[in-house]
Amino acid sequence: ETLTLFWSFIVSMYCVGGMIGCLCSGYLTAKYGKKKCLLCNNLLMIAAASIMGCSKIARSFEMILVGRFMCGISAGLCVPLHHQYVGEISPKKLRGFANSTSSFFWALGKAIGQISGQRELLGSQSLWPMLMAACGLPALVQLVTLPFFPESPPYLLMHKEDQEGCKKAIRQLWGEGHHQAEIDDIMKEKATMKNTKILSVLELMKEPAFRWQLYMIVILTATVQLCGINAV
């Protein structure tokens, strides 16, 4: 019973960390920018992977618990960050396609994880630490490649008010050309946001205008968890 309780904590800590990461993502992106947050998030994931990978050598299940919690925080930060950054650096005509790729790669990652976890592959008694540390590999790839990308143009213009930096980022991402229309769109969005109140989670739950939308999202999310996917 004690062992079952420990493993239940290890499994659920990922979700607890994910909730914390999601709640912090809005504040962190507004203060530090999406690129910097993604880079720091990669370091967090690599640290978590290293801790879990060394848990067997250290003979410490607590390290798995801590690593899972850190992985959850990293994933919670990454989900909104990735969507925002990819959407904002993509040209308008490719924005929908670029955002949809994240769902494809999440599903692909889950499938690869399930397959790699088979006893014939990395799920054996000797190799499972490598399986738990494997989540650090994609984070390492992004940590190496992301510095070659510029910061999000809307962030530079709307939060930093750096118009030259925004133009430079747009030229680097979309090539040389006349991009004044895109800059004008960002300026219009900035003007709209000035007149829009940003709601906290608690205020959103209390706002009658969003109540039915909130009910729908909660019900859909809950039924996804109850449809049997976790059991499968």
Side-chain angles (χ1 to χ4, degrees):
E1 290 179 359
T2 306
L3 189 63
T4 303
L5 180 65
F6 282 148
W7 280 115
S8 299
F9 269 117
I10 287 171
V11 171
S12 59
M13 275 297 112
Y14 181 84
C15 299
V16 174
M19 182 177 65
I20 294 171
C22 279
L23 291 173
C24 295
S25 64
Y27 169 77
L28 292 173
T29 51
K31 187 172 178 63
Y32 300 108
K34 297 170 181 66
K35 180 182 173 181
K36 287 181 181 178
C37 287
L38 280 170
L39 286 169
C40 293
N41 191 47
N42 291 326
L43 293 172
L44 180 64
M45 181 61 84
I46 292 170
S50 302
I51 290 170
M52 291 190 295
C54 296
S55 58
K56 185 179 181 182
I57 298 172
R59 295 180 178 275
S60 171
F61 71 87
E62 294 90 350
M63 291 175 68
I64 304 176
L65 186 68
V66 172
R68 287 277 296 173
F69 180 67
M70 291 170 65
C71 271
I73 294 175
S74 179
L77 284 168
C78 184
V79 170
L81 270 174
H82 178 83
H83 268 301
Q84 292 173 26
Y85 185 70
V86 170
E88 290 177 2
I89 67 172
S90 304
K92 188 177 289 186
K93 61 182 180 180
L94 296 174
R95 199 161 292 165
F97 169 76
N99 270 324
S100 66
T101 57
S102 57
S103 300
F104 168 76
F105 282 110
W106 289 338
L108 181 63
K110 287 180 180 180
I112 292 172
Q114 293 283 354
I115 294 168
S116 302
Q118 299 300 310
R119 293 184 185 277
E120 292 78 10
L121 298 174
L122 296 178
S124 63
Q125 190 172 353
S126 58
L127 296 178
W128 67 261
M130 291 179 61
L131 179 65
M132 300 200 76
C135 60
L137 185 60
L140 182 62
V141 172
Q142 191 178 70
L143 185 66
V144 173
T145 56
L146 193 59
F148 296 100
F149 287 78
E151 181 56 89
S152 160
Y155 173 79
L156 291 171
L157 191 57
M158 294 169 64
H159 294 276
K160 293 293 184 181
E161 298 183 351
D162 182 4
Q163 192 161 348
E164 285 303 315
C166 175
K167 290 179 179 178
K168 183 179 177 182
I170 286 174
R171 284 195 296 270
Q172 184 179 344
L173 289 164
W174 306 341
E176 295 294 334
H178 187 67
H179 302 295
Q180 189 59 42
E182 286 83 359
I183 295 172
D184 291 340
D185 286 341
I186 298 171
M187 293 299 291
K188 288 177 185 176
E189 186 180 347
K190 182 180 179 181
T192 305
M193 285 182 66
K194 281 185 178 180
N195 302 319
T196 305
K197 183 185 177 184
I198 304 299
L199 299 177
S200 67
V201 176
L202 188 61
E203 288 172 333
L204 179 66
M205 294 174 71
K206 290 180 178 178
E207 180 61 48
F210 300 120
R211 193 150 294 161
W212 281 106
Q213 293 93 320
L214 195 62
Y215 288 159
M216 289 175 64
I217 291 170
V218 169
I219 291 168
L220 282 170
T221 308
T223 50
V224 166
Q225 297 301 315
L226 296 172
C227 72
I229 185 68
N230 291 328
V232 171

